[in-house]
Amino acid sequence: MQAPLLEIFSSVQGEGPLVGCRQLFIRLAGCNLNCSYCDTPITVGEKGCRVEIATGSSKFEYLPWPLNINDAITYIHKNFNLNNHHSVCITGGEPLIHHQLLSKMLPMLAGTKKGIFLETNGTLPEELHQVIDHIDFISMDIKLPSAANIKPCWGLHRKFLQMALTKSLYIYVKVVLSDKTTHEELNEVYQLLQEEAPGVTLVMQPVTPFNGVNSPGVKKLMLWQAQALQHLDDVRIIPQTHRTMGIL
Ligand code: SF4
């Protein structure tokens, strides 16, 4: 089976409650959305899958495409000590569009301290169902139409949360906030979480400015967090930290 892998690298988680945890990142190509602030590479370069040769070096070698899943897993086990990592972070793009591949690949990535961590846009509940038994942590986005400039995904996010909560795993929800974020859509988020997942941590992440999308000011962030805390127990403001550290 071919594996549409874009990047493999060892780094620290830069977002959310698990910020700072050492992870082996595996980035898959492709996404079902098209967010305006997306700065993630989601199509393969002509050189193939890039791998950072030494952590933090920004020096890469390339595994030429097409990449066979068994070859990729062999490479990972040979070049990275999974036991030194908190978890394997499966990211994208949107990794769940490759659920058949993930069903095969994830069981071959045993050996970290805590398991498999999935970063997802939270819009593919049926695909999550196919792989949920292999996953230990979920970082789920709730996409706000104002910041992402896409159609609302409320129904899909609701189904996704319902599916995720059928298993005992660690899940948190992240919303990326911009200066265009509205009170109305934040209220939708609070209502959704109150109804489906009242105990889940909500991370408010100010957008890292990109492509004309700007971060809200500190005043707005503090106000929104205070409002969110009237509905939810655990609401945290956490910006992207890997950007400030200058790491992958
Ligand atoms: S869901 Fe993520 S990867 Fe996909 S377009 Fe939006 S920001 Fe980019």
Side-chain angles (χ1 to χ4, degrees):
M1 188 178 227
Q2 303 301 335
L5 306 186
L6 289 181
E7 290 183 316
I8 303 169
F9 57 95
S10 173
S11 189
V12 294
Q13 176 57 240
E15 301 179 353
L18 297 188
V19 69
C21 287
R22 188 62 175 259
Q23 293 183 319
L24 181 75
F25 289 80
I26 300 178
R27 187 184 306 285
L28 284 87
C31 187
N32 59 320
L33 299 181
N34 185 21
C35 306
S36 55
Y37 53 73
C38 183
D39 61 351
T40 310
I42 54 177
T43 54
V44 71
E46 56 187 31
K47 292 181 181 168
C49 171
R50 73 172 193 167
V51 185
E52 197 176 28
I53 296 164
T55 300
S57 70
S58 290
K59 290 187 178 149
F60 303 96
E61 65 178 346
Y62 290 84
L63 308 179
W65 276 43
L67 191 56
N68 179 280
I69 178 64
N70 293 320
D71 294 342
I73 296 293
T74 301
Y75 180 91
I76 287 169
H77 284 290
K78 190 170 159 221
N79 289 280
F80 297 95
N81 180 358
L82 292 187
N83 189 43
N84 283 348
H85 292 78
H86 170 274
S87 46
V88 173
C89 177
I90 305 295
T91 189
E94 173 47 56
L96 287 175
I97 65 175
H98 305 290
H99 62 90
Q100 288 173 325
L101 170 73
L102 293 178
S103 294
K104 283 198 183 332
M105 187 173 87
L106 298 183
M108 295 192 257
L109 291 168
T112 61
K113 294 184 186 299
K114 301 286 184 182
I116 301 292
F117 179 106
L118 174 70
E119 288 186 334
T120 171
N121 62 31
T123 60
L124 297 174
E126 289 309 317
E127 289 78 355
L128 175 65
H129 178 59
Q130 304 300 319
V131 300
I132 196 167
D133 287 343
H134 305 300
I135 290 172
D136 304 284
F137 302 84
I138 296 179
S139 169
M140 173 196 170
D141 280 3
I142 288 184
K143 293 292 180 186
L144 302 185
S146 61
N149 198 19
I150 57 171
K151 286 185 187 161
C153 302
W154 304 118
L156 289 172
H157 287 321
R158 184 179 295 277
K159 284 185 187 159
F160 190 95
L161 272 171
Q162 290 167 346
M163 177 57 66
L165 293 170
T166 60
K167 296 283 174 187
S168 172
L169 44 71
Y170 180 88
I171 177 169
Y172 68 87
V173 167
K174 184 183 80 190
V175 286
V176 176
L177 305 173
S178 78
D179 59 350
K180 299 280 191 309
T181 299
T182 67
H183 189 59
E184 288 69 32
E185 59 189 354
L186 286 175
N187 274 337
E188 288 266 9
V189 175
Y190 309 149
Q191 194 180 336
L192 177 60
L193 292 182
Q194 274 184 313
E195 290 171 4
E196 301 296 344
V200 161
T201 298
L202 174 64
V203 173
M204 297 182 131
Q205 179 175 294
V207 69
T208 302
F210 184 74
N211 200 21
V213 183
N214 295 311
S215 179
V218 172
K219 251 184 172 176
K220 264 191 187 170
L221 281 172
M222 300 298 275
L223 174 67
W224 288 337
Q225 185 188 39
Q227 289 170 341
L229 283 165
Q230 291 172 10
H231 303 272
L232 304 166
D233 288 339
D234 189 4
V235 183
R236 310 183 194 182
I237 298 173
I238 309 177
Q240 288 186 310
T241 61
H242 53 296
R243 305 278 176 193
T244 48
M245 289 169 71
I247 54 174
L248 292 175

